[in-house]
Amino acid sequence: MSSIRILNLSKVYDDSTHAVKQINLNIDDGEFIVLVGPSGCGKSTLLRMIAGLETISDGELYIGDRLVNNLEPAERDIAMVFQNYALYPHMTVYKNMAYGLKNRGFSASEIEERVQKTAKMLEIEQFLTRKPKALSGGQRQRVAMGRALVREPAAFLLDEPLSNLDAKLRVQMRVEIKQLQKRLKTTSLYVTHDQLEAMTLGDRLVVLNQGQVEQVGAPLEVYNRPETLFVAGFIGSPSMNLIDIDHLDKSINAHALSSLPKGTDILGIRPDCLSSSQPNEPSIQLECNMTLFEPSGAESHLYMSLKDQQQILIMRVESLKQEFSEPYFKVYAKIKDIHPFNKLSGKRTD
Amino acid sequence: MVDNDRWGNLLAHCILIVGVALVVFPIYIAVIASTHTGSTFLSGTLPLLPGKEAWTNYTTVIFEGRSRAGTPPIAQMLWNSFIMAMAITIGKLSISLLSAFAIVYFQFRFRLFFFWIIFLTLMLPVEVRIVPTFQVVADLGMLNSFAGLSIPLIASATATFLFRQFFMTIPEEMLEAARVDGAGPLKFFKDILLPLSITNIAALFVIMFIYGWNQYLWPLLITTDPSYYTIVMGIQRMATGGDSEPLWHLVMATVVVAALPPVLVILFMQRLFVKGLTETEK
Amino acid sequence: MQTKKLTFRNAWLPYLLLAPQVIITAIFFLWPAGQALYQSLLRQDAFGFNTTFVGLDNFTRLFQDDLYVNALQVTLIFSVGTTLLSMSVALLLAVLVNRMLRSRDTYTTFLVWPYAIAPAIAGILWWFIFNPSIGILPYFLEMLGISWNHRSNGNQAMLLVIIAAAWKQISYNFLFFLAGLQSIPHSLIEAAAIDGANKFKRFWTIVFPLLSPITFFLMVVNVVYAMFDTFGVIHATTEGGPAQATNILVYKVYRDGFVSMNLGSSAAQSVILMAIVVLLTVLQFKYIERRVNY
Ligand SMILES: Nc1ncnc2c1ncn2[C@@H]1O[C@H](COP(=O)(O)OP(=O)(O)OP(=O)(O)O)[C@@H](O)[C@H]1O
Ligand SMILES: [Mg+2]
């Protein structure tokens, strides 16, 4: 178990794609870090550089106190769980798990002990003699986890490990992974683009965009206080409404707007912070027209367009109300719920 | 189903049966001929039903040989053919696996250059450059040896390409997982790549064994010592060796024995053979 | 020509792995091929004492040599005949076998094994069947009023070797045609049937065009086979005769090099054959490219 220090890490591919740009990150011993970001932002590249599967173009990488830039993957004492599991198809589950230990010169009895212990922990003991082909997707996923766990490495690297599972299994495995990590306290780096996994799994969330870190922080911290427009739009589902200040009715909202920080020209409002009844505290007021009502059981979403504008807003509602069918109805957002941003710098203004 | 008319199917079966009969006919004739006495052939046309001399004829060819034509008993020739075919097959498979591994899993200088050198041999059969190749083998003192019989034939671009194609279809993550698990190149080759290639190896084994067993011109040229004769070339010496009409009953018994091993290999490994031929070849 | 994204880094191992293949290729292919090129420009006197450089003279002589021109013609007829005969029989059988559901594997088993027969043995078998005094076919042909003697009749000899060579190759063509037919989606044929095409129309307008890449591939393979792999057929039967009627190029290279010891001429013939092979390889490669790049 150890910390991971990432200093100015960069990756430029042979075709001069600049996939990772000068990333700095300190991961504490035992911490669970989740990497999120849109497709192609360099999540896998960063993870694979840490694993040693991709060369480091620039910068320094420390695992524990060791500079590992030029070490082979096997020498870095990490374990990896792949999206497609990458189990060896010709080996039994037992051999799959034992292979890494064998290559490291563990004795047969120690291998046996560790594999049995890990298999028990993951409840895959009854599959040990089967080959991967004879397992279900979920079972394969467990074996892939087992192959990583059995090594008791300094760090786990997981690249979208649950994305090949169906929705239900994904939830179940998510909880299990979290509990496992809590128990084993092994430093972990987890790549995902699933909002729920991002919010619930990690101690800290790292939001990547175009090869750069946008924000690092505890998941709720990032959710409650996105530092950039990008993070504001990316974290949260459905995503935050980002309203250009010019699209508001300046006269009605004059007072409310004057209380916003200087330089604010974009207002970020989460769908659950919009309401059709006027609150008795400072708020802004929008005139909208309903385009679609989307009930989905627990909560429902109302899609609406701002008066005289193309932009679609989303509001969380309990039920479809009479007033929504009127040509224009009013919705409100409290000033304290508004995330103020500057369009040009992309940053928060408060 | 679109085609389910009965007369059409009946006609198709008829044509197929005739086709199969034509394909099987020559070997049937050979089997029949090998069961008669030599004198049957002097009296005119060959009978179409088996005779009673099978045992005598086959034991004669296999264990006694025909000293008059200068050919050893064919037991020896069968053994030679087997050694040659196995040496060619195993040689081809090994060097092709190794070079495909190098080409796919390594980045090194002159990689393309080597690739093209191997590619050049893709279709150049030994028959084309027979005289100079013979000279090289003679200069190396490899005439009348198993090394001379097999080594010049084991360079195989085809097998290298097949393995290259197959390796490219193995997911990237297989290597990545193995590297994380601490496997170096040779361990990866032995523990992961070889076991994964086993069906392809088996399929190619069938094809290459047949190729090796059926070599004709090459053994004809480089063996003058009867103890290195192979069965396929030996038959030719029996059939056209002497001035007189050949002893057909014995020639045909030899033909049957010579054809048996590769035919058995095909029949027992039909699935693999068909896969090897049509899915991977070229 | 890609590698894997992740590759091993090792200074000498890849060279070591390639060494056996490359060394054997160099010694038994590149060196002899170079020798052939070199010798094709030389001429030895009858006793092998004097060697003189003659430039392209060996080549010009070849093309003025009636025997060589004859061998070219013979090879052409032989290759085209073998390819056509073998491919058409194989296609017919494959189309019929492909209709069958239950008996498909049985027929296939009966049709694949001639692949295992060596060309020389195929030659001897048909040589025996057509043997003018004891063969079974001349006996029947006699009844039809045809007198068969491939030892004196050049055309009959040619027919004999074509049949022997084509017979052995039927299995190979059959398997490829069958694989090709099985890869045609049945829905296409059903669609054509719904469009009102009858069976023959369906075959010629849907099935055959879809088979054309395989047909092209097989054509090249069969020509290569007929030109080079059939040495055994000729050598074990007609030995090029009667009167040069079946003297194909490969057989002539061998005779001139090993029997007549005419090294310069034989080397020049080797060079021409290599050129033909290279040409066919390029054709073949076009096909590989198409298959590999989809
Ligand atoms: N081997 C490579 N050569 C060149 N460019 C590459 C290579 N691998 C990845 N890239 C590029 O680097 C960028 C980052 O890729 P990466 O795989 O890290 O994205 P990702 O964040 O994991 O995306 P996803 O969520 O889709 O998995 C992309 O623009 C990609 O096209
Ligand atoms: Mg990725």
Side-chain angles (χ1 to χ4, degrees), chain A residues 222-292:
Chain A
V222 175
Y223 182 85
N224 290 332
R225 202 181 146 78
E227 290 297 338
T228 65
L229 263 176
F230 174 81
V231 177
F234 189 76
I235 298 292
S237 169
S239 42
M240 186 186 277
N241 298 300
L242 295 169
I243 305 164
D244 197 312
I245 216 160
D246 294 336
H247 295 172
L248 296 182
D249 187 329
K250 286 273 166 44
S251 54
I252 301 177
N253 291 314
H255 178 67
L257 289 176
S258 68
S259 66
L260 289 171
K262 240 176 66 193
T264 303
D265 45 16
I266 299 272
L267 306 182
I269 307 167
R270 296 229 177 258
D272 43 347
C273 294
L274 286 173
S275 145
S276 56
S277 54
Q278 186 163 22
N280 47 11
E281 58 183 292
S283 58
I284 59 162
Q285 170 186 332
L286 305 160
E287 257 191 294
C288 295
N289 165 244
M290 177 171 95
T291 52
L292 180 72

Side-chain angles (χ1 to χ4, degrees), chain B residues 117 120-121 129 131-137 139-140, chain C residues 22-39 274:
Chain B
I117 286 197
L120 275 174
T121 59
R129 57 202 149 84
V131 180
T133 313
F134 173 79
Q135 285 166 346
V136 169
V137 172
D139 291 346
L140 291 175
Chain C
V22 169
I23 290 173
I24 289 175
T25 306
I27 297 180
F28 297 107
F29 167 70
L30 293 180
W31 178 246
Q35 286 283 306
L37 267 175
Y38 176 63
Q39 284 172 358
M274 284 193 257

Side-chain angles (χ1 to χ4, degrees), chain B residues 41-86:
Chain B
F41 300 96
L42 302 177
S43 63
T45 311
L46 176 80
L48 281 173
L49 292 174
K52 298 195 180 80
E53 298 302 313
W55 178 255
T56 331
N57 290 344
Y58 281 96
T59 47
T60 307
V61 270
I62 294 178
F63 301 110
E64 288 163 27
R66 295 178 55 223
S67 45
R68 197 150 46 92
T71 50
I74 67 168
Q76 170 78 44
M77 293 197 273
L78 282 170
W79 179 245
N80 292 345
S81 279
F82 179 75
I83 299 277
M84 177 179 72
M86 287 305 277

Side-chain angles (χ1 to χ4, degrees), chain A residues 39-40 42-45 48 83 159-160 191 193:
Chain A
S39 190
K43 304 180 295 286
S44 299
T45 306
R48 292 163 50 84
Q83 182 174 359
D159 194 348
E160 308 193 25
V191 167
H193 48 223

Side-chain angles (χ1 to χ4, degrees), chain B residues 124-250:
Chain B
L124 265 174
V126 76
E127 282 80 1
V128 173
R129 57 202 149 84
I130 193 74
V131 180
T133 313
F134 173 79
Q135 285 166 346
V136 169
V137 172
D139 291 346
L140 291 175
M142 286 162 69
L143 299 182
N144 286 319
S145 71
F146 283 116
L149 275 174
S150 52
I151 295 177
L153 300 180
I154 69 178
S156 168
T158 322
T160 309
F161 281 101
L162 298 190
F163 286 125
R164 186 193 93 92
Q165 298 287 76
F166 173 67
F167 290 168
M168 292 308 287
T169 66
I170 295 178
E172 294 273 344
E173 287 86 351
M174 213 46 70
L175 172 60
E176 299 180 348
R179 294 272 298 263
V180 173
D181 272 343
L186 295 180
K187 258 210 175 93
F188 174 72
F189 182 73
K190 176 172 81 66
D191 292 343
I192 315 284
L193 215 50
L194 273 189
L196 286 180
S197 313
I198 201 74
T199 18
N200 287 275
I201 294 176
L204 276 177
F205 188 96
V206 179
I207 291 171
M208 309 229 146
F209 181 84
I210 292 169
Y211 167 87
W213 183 273
N214 287 347
Q215 280 308 309
Y216 180 73
L217 173 56
W218 189 242
L220 195 69
L221 285 180
I222 73 155
T223 58
T224 46
D225 175 353
S227 61
Y228 287 102
Y229 283 3
T230 64
I231 185 77
V232 175
M233 61 166 282
I235 293 177
Q236 184 270 340
R237 285 186 197 240
M238 282 187 190
T240 55
D243 288 332
S244 55
E245 187 69 21
L247 299 172
W248 283 113
H249 60 303
L250 297 185

